[in-house]
Amino acid sequence: MAEHGKTVIPLNDVCEKYLGLNPQTANYHASTHQLPFNTFHQSTTYGSYRRPGTIY
């Protein structure tokens, strides 16, 4: 978190550097709970477009 200066970090910002995965594969692993840390999806409104996974 200190490197990024925030407590919520987009998965796409760290997937290649720390996991060696492209964003699409990282999001798949996040949705199947196969990453070594917790992730969640933020939505802009109920039932609308979901943003890519986020780390907390």
Side-chain angles (χ1 to χ4, degrees):
M1 287 190 290
E3 179 179 335
H4 295 279
K6 48 190 168 183
T7 56
V8 178
I9 306 164
L11 181 59
N12 291 346
D13 290 356
V14 299
C15 63
E16 291 187 28
K17 181 176 180 179
Y18 295 104
L19 301 172
L21 301 172
N22 65 41
Q24 183 178 11
T25 304
N27 281 315
Y28 170 77
H29 286 300
S31 69
T32 57
H33 309 284
Q34 296 178 4
L35 294 178
F37 44 77
N38 294 324
T39 62
F40 65 96
H41 288 278
Q42 291 181 307
S43 62
T44 54
T45 59
Y46 296 98
S48 69
Y49 169 77
R50 286 183 1 164
R51 297 178 185 162
T54 307
I55 303 165
Y56 64 96

